[in-house]
Structure formats: structure tokens, C-alpha cells
Amino acid sequence: MAEVVVAKPREGKFNKNAARRVRVAGKIPAVLYGSGHDPVAVEVDPKQISRILYSETGHNTILDVEVAGLPATKAMIVDWQREPIKDKLIHIDLKRIALDKVLHVRVRVKLLGIPIGVKTEGGVLDQVLREVEVECLPADIPGHIDVDVSELGMHQVLRVSGLPHSEKIKYLTSEDATVAHVVTIREEVVATPETVEGAAAAPGTAAAPGDAAAPAEPEVIKKGKGEAAEAGAKKDAGAGAKK
């Protein structure tokens, strides 16, 4: 059963102040357009739209949009905007659709299983494409495309050509595009005093065995010791003069 969205027509000026008043009233502004009809400015319930966007079919959900004074129409959410700080919905675009005409939509790819390359070879599964673009009739839009990756070994690649294919959907994303692969974990080289000294040394010159264990004192410390020794000598000379 299709989700029913009741949209209330907006009247008057369509500017920032008007949109703000809509949001203050607990709704969000929206536009319904497409299929050769004039666009209609409406307001909808943000909670219902958020629930639809986070559902299994997400933005590919087919809706029955009811606007007062207009016949009900099939539509989909094709664009939405969120407030960047609080992540609240602030606007959506609804596009009318015809059930007998193909659509271009993006569908989520869901990876199932744990690859052999991860289980036995210590690799990491890296998903490169999380969505693919397909062409199909509205009724044939899949909620997500499932693919089993349990046989994927180290350095092996899953491409779009390896996703489930059927006569109902046509992939618009390149068949050679990488969906996922198993990669190695790179070891991080941590810099140590010894490695820094070794990098600073001239090429082909070996450091003395004691150099790494007993690094030279900083120059400022040497200077301090020298001043202290000089002060002690002057003191001794003064004591001898008094005698």
C-alpha cells in the first residue's frame, strides 16, 4: 500500500519569511511538479517525510500525494534540504510520476556476508559504491540490491557486473565500476629518536654504537656548565687574594 502524504496548498508570497512562518507552524515548505502540470507550492509534515526517507525504500518510496482541490497523484521525493547545524528538514521537492514510464533512480547496494579475505587473510572490506543508478518502472524499484561477498578473497574486486541482474532493471552505472574490494591493512611507521637520527645521518655513514644510547647534550646545557665553572674559578681566586 502506497504511503499517503496530505499536502496543504501554500498561498501568498513564496520567500524566506513565508517559508520561515511555515516551519514555525510545524510544517515544511515543498513543491509538487512534473508530468506536464504546473508546479504547486505546498506544506507537509516533516516527521512523516523524515520517516519515509529513513525507511527501507527511502527516497524511492512511491507516494500518494493529496492536495486539496486537486486529484491525488503518484509522486516521489527527488530532493530535500536539511538545516546544517540541527539537521532538520527545511524543504523537499516532490515529482509526479507515471507508473507506466521508466525512471532513473539511485538504489543502495547492501553487502552480505564476511569475505574470505577478511576471515582468513586479515584484509579489510572496502565498499567503494554504496549506491548505483538504475532504470526501471516505478513498481520495480528495489528497496536495495543485495549481493553476497563471502567468497571475495584478498585483492579481489566486486564490480557492477557482479551485482544481481534481471530483466526488470537496467544498470546505468558502468558495469566495470568497482563496488567493493578486499584490501590489506597498511602498517603505520612510528617515528622514534633512533629513526630520526638515522635519517639525519649522511648516507652510507654508520652511527657509533654509543651515539644512539647517549645522545649529545644540547648546546644550551653546555653553555650553562661553562659559565658555572668560570664563576667557581673567580670565586677561588678571590678567596686566595683575601688570604
Side-chain angles (χ1 to χ4, degrees):
M1 184 177 178
E3 179 91 24
V4 178
V5 174
V6 178
K8 179 182 177 182
R10 285 188 288 151
E11 298 179 355
K13 295 182 179 180
F14 306 123
N15 52 29
K16 290 184 178 180
N17 290 334
R20 189 178 297 112
R21 286 193 292 270
V22 171
R23 298 186 192 105
V24 169
K27 303 293 184 180
I28 57 171
V31 176
L32 175 65
Y33 66 93
S35 293
H37 297 280
D38 293 335
V40 180
V42 296
E43 56 185 64
V44 294
D45 181 3
K47 293 181 180 179
Q48 181 184 20
I49 301 301
S50 290
R51 178 174 55 77
I52 292 170
L53 289 174
Y54 285 111
S55 69
E56 185 73 10
T57 50
H59 58 87
N60 290 329
T61 303
I62 298 175
L63 311 172
D64 281 333
V65 180
E66 297 180 354
V67 181
L70 296 174
T73 183
K74 299 286 185 182
M76 292 175 60
I77 301 171
V78 293
D79 193 20
W80 59 95
Q81 298 173 20
R82 292 184 180 276
E83 196 274 330
I85 297 177
K86 296 182 179 180
D87 196 37
K88 290 184 177 180
L89 278 172
I90 57 175
H91 189 276
I92 66 165
D93 286 352
L94 295 163
K95 185 177 181 180
R96 300 182 185 94
I97 62 171
L99 296 180
D100 58 347
K101 293 184 179 180
V102 296
L103 298 173
H104 294 178
V105 295
R106 301 190 67 85
V107 181
R108 180 168 63 96
V109 178
K110 189 175 181 180
L111 306 181
L112 305 177
I114 302 175
I116 293 176
V118 174
K119 277 184 177 180
T120 63
E121 301 175 74
V124 174
L125 178 63
D126 177 30
Q127 185 170 358
V128 180
L129 281 182
R130 298 190 177 276
E131 288 184 330
V132 290
E133 190 173 359
V134 303
E135 179 184 79
C136 62
L137 291 171
D140 296 329
I141 300 174
H144 46 77
I145 297 173
D146 296 345
V147 56
D148 186 3
V149 295
S150 57
E151 297 299 320
L152 207 61
M154 182 69 75
H155 304 305
Q156 288 187 335
V157 179
L158 169 67
R159 304 187 187 279
V160 172
S161 58
L163 297 178
H165 284 56
S166 73
E167 296 179 354
K168 293 183 178 181
I169 65 172
K170 175 185 177 182
Y171 287 95
L172 301 179
T173 304
S174 172
E175 293 279 332
D176 293 330
T178 297
V179 176
H181 55 171
V182 178
V183 297
T184 56
I185 303 175
R186 294 183 180 180
E187 294 184 2
E188 183 179 357
V189 178
V190 180
T192 62
E194 290 79 4
T195 58
V196 173
E197 270 192 54
T205 304
D211 287 350
E217 271 187 311
E219 186 63 28
V220 67
I221 296 178
K222 288 184 177 180
K223 184 176 179 181
K225 285 185 176 180
E227 289 177 354
E230 186 178 351
K234 286 182 180 179
K235 184 177 179 181
D236 292 342
K242 288 180 181 179
K243 288 180 181 180

